[in-house]
Amino acid sequence: MKLSYNGQEKVQADPEKVWSFIKDPQKVASCLPDVQDVQIQDDKNMVATVGVAVGPVRGRFKFNIQLDPQPEQNKMLVRIRGGGLGSAVDLTASADITGQSDQTTLLDWQGEANVSGPAATVGGRVLDAQAKRLITTVFENMGKKMAEPS
């Protein structure tokens, strides 16, 4: 099953603070919902174990997450691969990062995921709603944490 999403998050922080945040795997990992464990591999790679509940499919999924910041193009790329319980997820996402005149930053994001296995068979609407909630929550969490005082 293939899923596509896009959206926009206005962050109450200037672009410099946004870049500092998204280049830090530990800070990015803190924005993932339902995380049970994170192992930082290096400055661009981490492994996250996440609690997943999609319809009757409930359990732990393990994801390899690769961050690819491209400040010269004002873009952040993220690649997530992994799964669990016989299901697999392959997600590619990006965000265009644009500073605004009011010292805020606009994140225009998009993502595309391929899901296979039992998680894909629970039904399009259930999986679609869960995936959209997950992605929206990550960007909302990032926005809140980036807006916090340093």
Side-chain angles (χ1 to χ4, degrees):
M1 173 175 270
K2 192 171 197 169
L3 304 167
S4 287
Y5 302 99
N6 60 50
Q8 193 175 71
E9 186 75 24
K10 186 171 186 175
V11 178
Q12 299 299 315
D14 63 39
E16 184 177 311
K17 187 171 182 181
V18 170
W19 279 111
S20 174
F21 187 96
I22 63 178
K23 287 181 177 181
D24 184 334
Q26 192 68 48
K27 288 181 180 177
V28 173
S30 74
C31 298
L32 302 172
D34 306 319
V35 170
Q36 297 173 350
D37 181 56
V38 175
Q39 297 168 358
I40 305 298
Q41 308 292 308
D42 57 37
D43 65 343
K44 291 187 178 186
N45 295 282
M46 65 182 118
V47 177
T49 303
V50 180
V52 174
V54 180
V57 179
R58 298 181 185 284
R60 299 167 118 189
F61 279 38
K62 191 175 224 176
F63 295 108
N64 294 308
I65 302 170
Q66 180 184 38
L67 306 176
D68 184 11
Q70 300 178 354
E72 65 283 351
Q73 297 174 337
N74 295 319
K75 187 178 282 288
M76 175 67 163
L77 303 175
V78 179
R79 177 88 186 211
I80 300 173
R81 287 183 155 168
L85 305 170
S87 295
V89 177
D90 187 359
L91 169 75
T92 304
S94 66
D96 293 319
I97 299 163
T98 310
Q100 305 296 294
S101 60
D102 61 357
Q103 297 302 305
T104 62
T105 304
L106 203 56
L107 304 177
D108 280 310
W109 57 267
Q110 49 279 327
E112 197 167 277
N114 287 303
V115 181
S116 60
T121 63
V122 299
R125 284 193 302 231
V126 172
L127 181 59
D128 185 59
Q130 272 304 96
K132 186 167 185 150
R133 180 192 68 80
L134 175 78
I135 292 168
T136 301
T137 300
V138 168
F139 278 100
E140 286 174 353
N141 288 347
M142 287 177 72
K144 287 176 191 169
K145 289 183 183 246
M146 284 186 241
E148 291 173 356
S150 297

